Amino acid sequence: MDAHVRRGVASMSIKNLPSATRPREKLLALGPQALADVELLALLLRTGLPGQGVLNLAQALLERFGGLAGLLGADTQQLAGVKGLGPAKRAELAAVFEIARRALGQQLAQTPVFDNPTAVKQFAALAIGALGFEVFAVLFLDNQHRLLKHEEMFRGTLTQTSVYPREILKRALHHNAAAVILAHNHPSGVAEPSRADELLTRALRDALQQVDVRVLDHIIVAGHQSLSFAERGLL
């Protein structure tokens, strides 16, 4: 498809696209995995703006928010300021995000986390990966390492002095947790752990050991990237 044709297609609404290029028809014929991110988003948006077709609008949104994870992780205030995203479209995007997060949460609640470590990373990425500020969260697990509860514990610049082991211990005992997975995000977009991250992990591991709660992993997420302390041998 040459540039002129691509521009013409991008300026159309979905219903006016040639049938072979419509995201819905393509999805039904080839499966959702065959669609590019921009096509999946265009399928949700359905219509564009005057002078800006739905595919162009979808591409602009992906670029503005740094991809699907950033868009779906954006808060309501961020979305409300985007031309072309009215209340209905914002509600649909929020619903898709919440469905994905709940589906992964249910999966982790039914099977041991070690059976699907990729799902743990995906869950953490959906929950906190796209936030523009640092968040420290904890996944509380039962004695079979299934998810009991996910809780956001602290916000702001995370250090040993701003993440309180006592509060995590209290929540672990409240949930009768046998183990936890720690998770926090790096808004910088780089998932590599800092020295402070390593010291904090050790401090929490040692504190939780006092009440027989194991720290199975500490996951750092940054947009699409994720890092596992356990896989790195840092625990």
Side-chain angles (χ1 to χ4, degrees):
M1 185 183 296
D2 62 31
H4 176 75
V5 174
R6 283 199 301 271
R7 285 194 298 270
V9 168
S11 67
M12 298 178 182
S13 66
I14 283 183
K15 67 180 181 180
N16 292 326
L17 290 172
S19 59
T21 63
R22 292 176 193 165
R24 182 175 62 184
E25 280 73 9
K26 186 175 177 180
L27 183 149
L28 293 174
L30 303 174
Q33 69 280 356
L35 272 64
D37 290 353
V38 67
E39 294 173 307
L40 287 169
L41 181 54
L43 187 58
L44 285 175
L45 297 173
R46 294 190 304 280
T47 59
L49 295 168
Q52 185 181 37
V54 64
L55 289 172
N56 277 338
L57 175 59
Q59 185 61 44
L61 288 171
L62 293 176
E63 292 173 359
R64 175 168 179 167
F65 289 96
L68 287 175
L71 176 61
L72 294 178
D75 61 35
T76 52
Q77 283 189 325
Q78 290 174 302
L79 294 178
V82 178
K83 185 178 180 181
L85 287 185
K89 288 180 180 178
R90 295 200 304 270
E92 288 181 6
L93 290 174
V96 169
F97 168 74
E98 186 61 18
I99 288 170
R101 190 188 67 81
R102 291 188 189 188
L104 283 170
Q106 290 174 4
Q107 185 177 354
L108 295 177
Q110 294 169 359
T111 59
V113 294
F114 287 137
D115 287 356
N116 197 345
T118 299
V120 178
K121 292 180 181 179
Q122 290 173 337
F123 180 85
L126 278 173
I128 62 174
L131 298 176
F133 48 87
E134 284 197 78
V135 169
F136 190 94
V138 181
L139 282 69
F140 297 97
L141 311 174
D142 65 14
N143 57 10
Q144 296 185 48
H145 298 162
R146 296 173 302 193
L147 181 65
L148 293 167
K149 187 72 175 179
H150 162 264
E151 291 189 7
E152 179 185 304
M153 300 291 296
F154 308 102
R155 289 189 175 195
T157 301
L158 302 178
T159 66
Q160 278 186 270
T161 56
S162 64
V163 175
Y164 302 103
R166 180 178 62 182
E167 296 303 314
I168 297 176
L169 263 66
K170 285 170 58 177
R171 299 308 295 166
L173 294 172
H174 171 80
H175 293 298
N176 195 27
V180 298
I181 292 177
L182 313 173
H184 81 275
N185 65 321
H186 279 182
S188 65
V190 179
E192 285 298 313
S194 65
R195 178 63 176 163
D197 292 335
E198 295 180 18
L199 292 173
L200 173 60
T201 304
R202 292 171 189 168
L204 292 173
R205 179 195 63 193
D206 293 344
L208 287 161
Q209 279 180 345
Q210 303 304 311
V211 291
D212 294 324
V213 176
R214 292 181 58 200
V215 175
L216 300 184
D217 204 350
H218 185 169
I219 295 172
I220 299 175
V221 292
H224 294 292
Q225 303 176 49
S226 62
L227 178 140
S228 161
F229 272 54
E231 292 175 359
R232 279 283 186 93
L234 296 175
L235 279 177

